[in-house]
Amino acid sequence: MSRPTIRTQRLVLEPMSWDPLDELCALDADAEVMRFLGAPRTADEVRAKIPDRLSPSDDALGLGFWCGFERGMFVGWWCLSLEGPELAEIGWRLHRRAWGRGLATEAAAALLEHGFETVGLERIIAETLAVNLASRGVMRKLGMTHESTEPIGPNEPEATLPGAAEGMVRYEIIRERWASG
């Protein structure tokens, strides 16, 4: 199995490649996009991350990273990454011009379906800073439930981010709940 191209009502999710490198660099260079993730990244830092996001082992499982396009325009990326047996983590990062339009939820819902129906996952989690209300809203819209809030230690990379004192939240959804929703 390899990562398929996934189509939603408004988006085409294509397996991540080097093709949208300029758009990926612009995304990670935006301080507002990176507000809850860390400092903006240079083009060299983004280039260094791409090989990890093109992992052949993830691809063989039908998991990994996808670039999202709306009418041919890059809007961001989504991932579904293996975290353990039958467990994956879902995530997303969108350009500001794509915020507030339901695109994160639309694509993530398609990836949940892919993860449960095609890959055969039993549980999918998502994590973010407790203060990241937009991402938490997406998680709730996906039917995910808040499972825990953990403190962020002073030596963890997230410790310097705005709102880090509120901790890191973890949401999850299991296949049975997804199928009944």
Side-chain angles (χ1 to χ4, degrees):
M1 174 187 315
S2 62
R3 273 176 299 148
T5 295
I6 297 173
R7 297 182 193 295
T8 71
Q9 182 178 353
R10 297 177 288 174
L11 298 169
V12 176
L13 301 177
E14 296 178 356
M16 187 172 280
S17 70
W18 287 95
D19 293 343
L21 180 61
D22 290 342
E23 290 92 342
L24 291 164
C25 290
L27 181 66
D28 282 12
D30 185 328
E32 191 61 19
V33 168
M34 299 298 288
R35 177 173 48 153
F36 299 119
L37 300 166
R41 294 190 175 129
T42 66
D44 287 341
E45 290 170 323
V46 174
R47 268 190 223 88
K49 288 257 184 216
I50 299 291
D52 292 339
R53 294 176 177 170
L54 300 176
S55 167
S57 60
D58 283 347
D59 191 51
L61 298 170
L63 299 172
F65 285 75
W66 284 263
C67 291
F69 299 89
E70 181 184 33
R71 293 187 301 270
M73 180 183 289
F74 178 84
V75 294
W77 60 255
W78 285 259
C79 67
L80 192 57
S81 303
L82 197 63
E83 293 292 313
E86 300 178 343
L87 166 68
E89 181 174 3
I90 194 167
W92 47 84
R93 187 171 306 163
L94 278 71
H95 274 291
R96 280 193 272 170
R97 67 178 176 266
W99 291 0
R101 299 179 38 228
L103 297 176
T105 304
E106 183 177 319
L111 285 181
L112 288 180
E113 180 178 355
H114 171 68
F116 289 130
E117 292 292 318
T118 306
V119 178
L121 297 169
E122 290 297 324
R123 186 165 55 118
I124 297 175
I125 63 167
E127 295 180 327
T128 191
L129 287 176
V131 296
N132 188 346
L133 300 180
S135 282
R136 291 182 75 176
V138 171
M139 294 169 195
R140 284 191 300 274
K141 287 176 188 170
L142 292 169
M144 302 180 94
T145 56
H146 178 236
E147 294 297 317
S148 66
T149 302
E150 301 294 328
I152 297 172
N155 297 326
E156 294 182 49
E158 297 89 358
T160 61
L161 295 174
E166 301 295 321
M168 184 74 71
V169 294
R170 180 182 186 136
Y171 282 69
E172 76 172 32
I173 188 166
I174 60 172
R175 176 200 290 265
E176 182 179 307
R177 180 158 185 231
W178 173 82
S180 68

